[in-house]
Amino acid sequence: MTKVRDDRATTEVTLGVDIGTSSTKAVLVDAAGEIVGQAVAEHRVDRPEPTWAEMDGRTWWREFVDLTGELLAAHPEAAVIAVGVSGMGPCVLLADDRDQPVRPAILYGVDMRATAQIEELTTELGEDMVTAIGGSRLTTQAVGPKLRWVAEHEPEAYAAARRLFMPASFLARHLTGEYVLDHHSASQSTPLYDVERRRWHEPWWERIAPGIERPRLVYPKDVVGAVAAEAAAETGLPAGIPVISGTIDAWTEGISAGAVRPGDLLLMYGTTMFLVATDIRTMRHPSMWTTVGAFPETMCLAGGLATSGAVTDWLRRLTGADFPTLLSEAEASGPGARGLLMLPYFAGERTPILDPDARGVIAGLTLDHGRGDLYRAALEATAFGVRDNVDAMREAGAEITRIVAVGGGTQGRLWLQTVSDVTGLTQHVPRLTIGASYGAAYLARRAVIGDFPIEDWNDTAIVIEPNTATRVGHDANFARYRALYAATRDIQHALARGKHATV
């Protein structure tokens, strides 16, 4: 629940701006963590080819200017004392020596144009060396193959390029004139960055990104400079106030919820699910992304489910029932969904199985089952997917002791309880789930007054403890969940590729 701001609240605020996939969000936050004002600008992803996902990088600065102006006009009493930035990533925005984009920004893993370059670089550099230095295998998430794609397919654009930006660093450049990239974003720029030495891997940078200047490396909380006079005139912000580096949005959202300490697992409930485990040690798993953490002393291991809320929404549309009705009927169904077991691979699966040709399976159906049973099975399926990832992360050395839950799915108590029951982990849901823009505003405040815990702003609102009475049944079904995938994998693949048997 958002605090209600009263007339006595301080006028000193920090500005947090996050460039997301579908919108840019800006927020003004006062010294007590109260939200003074919010503004949103919608935008769209361009898909000139079926597997491409790109965006005009100039949109990012234009929306920053527009939203900042909107907030300052709506709240003339607010005095901005620092700026925090955040954005989706890892992205590839190439710009010339005047910081003008030479082509649209290529987005993160949703852009799959560079598959040939992924195979080429994996062979060229060696998969073991790539994972040893870069922390992760080359996938559609990686920056290096996309740079090579531009060099090979758009040589004129590449020849004009001098700098590499992501949304947060592009905003920082426009605000301060500084050319930087935070260590976390750099660690997702596989294979250009050495995750163990925390520096650019110069031999591979020169091989894959020749002619591109390497940005200075900083941490997300670092002040990279002050708002320059030109940026102040354009935005209405005071000249000379500090600007932090910021980082990729999922990690900034983790900061906003306090999921940044060793032992924490950030779990983002949404159309898909994203998981980030934090530790002080380097954790590696073949299917997951090893990265530098949001803070200097931490490392992260990240994974994700391809669907979660997407499956429950599919059931809602299929049955014509609303969510409250489905949740009520799922509650009545009880643990185990009256003998149903679902694989939630309705759009393939990311981690830990890395199987784009996996497909959804519903086992155990009888004529007695209803939509509430199906909905319960879907919730349990996503919980099993989370547990599968938690087990993989623990195999990689992560010591997960609690889940910090964020996202739209946290509004449903049954889903939260199911995940805790299946994983055996306690979940903490913060009071505010505004997202990355709030985390950016928090880091900006720290830049002014020094370190303080996010809990001073955003404490825990709900704690979900696992129900030990259901654990034996969930353990048995989790074993069946894994066995069901192994037993039906070949059939799933055949169906996905259209190899239907004919009669």
Side-chain angles (χ1 to χ4, degrees), residues 373-399:
D373 303 312
L374 286 168
Y375 199 81
R376 182 79 182 219
L379 296 180
E380 292 184 353
T382 60
F384 292 140
V386 171
R387 180 169 171 177
D388 214 7
N389 277 273
V390 167
D391 285 355
M393 288 172 163
R394 284 174 166 159
E395 289 170 9
E399 296 184 5

Side-chain angles (χ1 to χ4, degrees), residues 82-85 165 168-183 215-228 240-247 443-444 447:
V83 180
V85 291
F165 292 102
S169 65
F170 194 61
L171 295 183
R173 177 69 169 180
H174 276 271
L175 285 164
T176 69
E178 295 293 325
Y179 178 48
V180 299
L181 191 66
D182 70 280
H183 281 277
R216 175 169 62 91
L217 290 168
V218 295
Y219 282 96
K221 66 182 181 61
D222 289 347
V223 174
V224 299
V227 173
I241 63 172
V243 178
I244 61 148
S245 161
T247 189
L443 289 179

Side-chain angles (χ1 to χ4, degrees), residues 98-426:
R98 297 178 297 111
D99 298 322
Q100 295 301 307
V102 300
R103 70 168 323 282
I106 302 175
L107 303 192
Y108 49 98
V110 295
D111 185 288
M112 295 176 276
R113 75 182 71 196
T115 53
Q117 289 73 25
I118 290 169
E119 294 180 8
E120 178 184 298
L121 281 170
T122 299
T123 300
E124 189 178 315
L125 304 176
E127 184 171 332
D128 290 344
M129 285 298 293
V130 169
T131 55
I133 293 172
S136 308
R137 293 163 53 181
L138 294 179
T139 66
T140 61
Q141 190 85 343
V143 165
K146 292 172 182 177
L147 288 171
R148 180 162 285 190
W149 184 93
V150 176
E152 291 177 354
H153 291 267
E154 299 176 359
E156 291 184 3
Y158 188 88
R162 293 294 178 270
R163 299 186 182 100
L164 170 65
F165 292 102
M166 294 190 195
S169 65
F170 194 61
L171 295 183
R173 177 69 169 180
H174 276 271
L175 285 164
T176 69
E178 295 293 325
Y179 178 48
V180 299
L181 191 66
D182 70 280
H183 281 277
H184 170 71
S185 298
S187 71
Q188 292 216 40
S189 300
T190 318
L192 304 177
Y193 178 89
D194 187 326
V195 295
E196 296 291 354
R197 294 178 175 83
R198 300 200 177 201
R199 66 188 186 194
W200 295 118
H201 187 61
E202 293 186 17
W204 287 355
W205 184 287
E206 294 304 324
R207 187 173 194 157
I208 299 168
I212 307 299
E213 179 186 350
R214 291 190 294 276
R216 175 169 62 91
L217 290 168
V218 295
Y219 282 96
K221 66 182 181 61
D222 289 347
V223 174
V224 299
V227 173
E230 183 178 345
E234 195 169 353
T235 62
L237 292 168
I241 63 172
V243 178
I244 61 148
S245 161
T247 189
I248 290 173
D249 51 9
W251 275 256
T252 314
E253 183 159 6
I255 291 168
S256 79
V260 292
R261 300 179 181 92
D264 285 346
L265 175 69
L266 176 69
L267 181 56
M268 303 176 71
Y269 286 79
T271 303
T272 66
M273 273 188 168
F274 194 65
L275 308 91
V276 182
T278 300
D279 210 312
I280 58 174
R281 300 166 298 171
T282 302
M283 302 164 285
R284 297 176 185 270
H285 189 278
S287 75
M288 295 180 171
W289 305 293
T290 296
T291 72
V292 172
F295 293 103
E297 64 277 9
T298 59
M299 296 291 290
C300 291
L301 189 65
L305 279 64
T307 62
S308 55
V311 178
T312 58
D313 188 56
W314 170 75
L315 280 169
R316 178 190 62 80
R317 290 183 282 107
L318 188 69
T319 61
D322 57 27
F323 281 125
T325 299
L326 288 169
L327 283 167
S328 176
E329 293 178 359
E331 184 80 51
S333 176
R338 298 201 310 129
L340 288 187
L341 183 63
M342 180 185 293
L343 298 183
Y345 309 146
F346 285 51
E349 186 56 296
R350 294 193 287 176
T351 60
I353 64 173
L354 288 183
D355 187 353
D357 289 328
R359 291 295 180 265
V361 175
I362 304 172
L365 278 167
T366 71
L367 295 175
D368 290 330
H369 285 115
R371 62 192 182 188
D373 303 312
L374 286 168
Y375 199 81
R376 182 79 182 219
L379 296 180
E380 292 184 353
T382 60
F384 292 140
V386 171
R387 180 169 171 177
D388 214 7
N389 277 273
V390 167
D391 285 355
M393 288 172 163
R394 284 174 166 159
E395 289 170 9
E399 296 184 5
I400 298 170
T401 56
R402 70 164 186 161
I403 294 175
V404 179
V406 298
T410 60
Q411 305 304 311
R413 180 69 181 239
L414 180 59
W415 198 1
L416 288 167
Q417 189 65 57
T418 301
V419 169
S420 281
D421 292 350
V422 166
T423 62
L425 289 166
T426 299

